[in-house]
Amino acid sequence: MAETAGVFLAGLGVYVTVARLEPLPHPGFQLAALAAGAALFPLRRRFPGVVLLALAALTGLAPGVGPVAAAAAYAVARQAVRARRRARLLAAAGAVVVAAATASAPWLGPGQPSYGLALGLVLAATAVVVPGLVGTAHGQQGRLLQALRERGDAAERARRSADSEARTQERSRIAAEMHDLVGHRLSLISLHAGGLEMALGRAAPELREEAVLVRRTTRDALRELRQALGVLGPLGPDTGPGVLTDATGTRADIETLVAESRDGGIAVRLRWTGPDLDSRPAPVRRAVHRVVREALTNVHRYAPQAHVTVTVAHDDEAVRVTVRNGAAPPPSPAAGSVGTGRGLAGLAERVELLGGTFDAGPLPSGGFQVAAAVPAEPGDAPGPARTHAPSGAHAPSGTEEAVPSGRRTAETLTLACGLAVLSVLMVLGILFVYGTRPHRSVPPPLPHVGMSLHEVAAAGVLDNAAVRAAATGREPPRPTGAAGCIYPFNGATERRPGGLIVARYCFDASQRLIAIDRFTVPSVRDAAPWESS
């Protein structure tokens, strides 16, 4: 509703400005056409082609509809997606404006069809072509931004999905590690319970059933543990008894990892501060092992020529692991494989489940650093769970609404200024066409019987004393009722050989013209200077 009111006021401003400087013919029709254009404007989104062509025809008949047509052309061009259809609509609308202005010029326009054609070209440019091009540019920009926004959202959803999958796999790997550890312990318990059962069968038969119960319960627990692990899916290639041992995560294990990387061509050194980790819980040692191994693997992939420093600081409260590599020249596209990018997310999940902190990112010097702090005694309760926004989540509603609202206000002000500029251009073009057309001058009416003395004088018929003197004594009798006569010296007086034709206009007592007479009086020839003597 506000847009319709705005374009109507713009069209009314064009009409009033032009009407004050150059009166337009049939003002009632001009205002009716403007009202009809404002009524059609709200239908531009539902019937874009029909409304644009109708407004173009009205613009050719009444220039005041130009701003309404300009706003419709902008909206239709911005809304149209197919380039061919948009070009056809704008071309057809421009042709309709020119045709309507040319055809209606003798009755509703500047008069001659050639000037109507000029007016149509001006209106087509300002009411159709320019706003159509601006709408096309804005529409393409909006569609491009929308496509980029959708691609960004899709990429963000894919990244979050990959992180979630990496965390899920890391939890499955942790569960598999616990299976290896607990299963090994349960197997030992079952083995000792079997031996105890055999020993009690001879020494204390009354306690043999207790040993049998322990063995059966241990076997059932081991079976249930394997069934629960099967729900998590297949194990990764880096889990299993061959990798997860009691020495995993100890100083000797970390030194082995460093030595393997050094043998692979990486310049790596180890800094160990504090006692060994052999007395720490298995989850802590395995988290340290995983952080060092994953960080060195990334160095092998992305910076094989960089210098690497592995730092492990162990105290009574936490185990802090830092793997830092310096800047390295970028590898060729064929050098090394590209990872999935999920290893760091899995490491973060493992460390945070133990209540620790994890951080990984590039350094200002161009290198990369992986840092983790794991509690020395994580306890039975898991660490604080990280809350992850769902894949479709967005920014808070207040911020999300504030930015589009400000952008919408700026766009509205820009379009209003553009419409005002187009309206000014329309006024200038219309006034130029109307100002350059030929103005037909209406000659004053010729004097005739019944006109007043004032009307005769306004027609340029005035009394001349010389003509009156020439007619004195030589004029015919005045008509009956004449109260006075005038003898003009203009088109009514002619020179003939030997005489002058004098016109006489006689008026009655009420100063009404009652007769126009013409008569001839003899002319007097002045003597030459040499004849005067």
Side-chain angles (χ1 to χ4, degrees), residues 6 120 132 170 193 208 259 305 398 424 465:
E170 190 67 22
R208 181 175 178 276
Q305 301 178 6
V424 173

Side-chain angles (χ1 to χ4, degrees), residues 135-149:
T136 300
H138 284 187
Q140 291 178 348
Q141 180 183 11
R143 286 186 288 272
L144 178 60
L145 291 177
Q146 181 65 22
L148 292 177
R149 190 177 297 112

Side-chain angles (χ1 to χ4, degrees), residues 52 77 80 82-94 128 133 136:
L52 179 58
R82 300 176 58 184
R84 290 186 177 181
R85 183 174 183 272
R86 179 173 57 247
R88 290 172 182 174
L89 275 178
L90 294 178
V128 176
L133 294 178
T136 300

Side-chain angles (χ1 to χ4, degrees), residues 469-533:
T472 301
R474 299 180 179 86
E475 59 181 322
R478 294 183 177 182
T480 304
C485 300
I486 62 175
Y487 304 85
F489 185 82
N490 48 21
T493 302
E494 299 178 0
R495 179 183 297 273
R496 286 188 177 183
L500 294 175
I501 298 178
V502 177
R504 182 180 64 184
Y505 294 79
C506 297
F507 299 85
D508 58 10
S510 61
Q511 295 186 347
R512 288 288 174 180
L513 182 61
I514 59 175
I516 301 176
D517 301 321
R518 296 177 185 276
F519 53 91
T520 302
V521 298
S523 60
V524 178
R525 184 174 65 86
D526 293 337
W530 56 83
E531 296 178 351
S532 60
S533 58

Side-chain angles (χ1 to χ4, degrees), residues 443-456:
L446 296 176
H448 58 83
V449 176
M451 294 180 65
S452 65
L453 178 61
H454 178 71
E455 292 174 344
V456 173

Side-chain angles (χ1 to χ4, degrees), residues 193 195-212:
L196 183 62
E197 177 185 354
M198 296 178 59
L200 291 176
R202 295 187 298 269
E206 67 278 4
L207 299 178
R208 181 175 178 276
E209 294 298 328
E210 298 295 334
V212 172

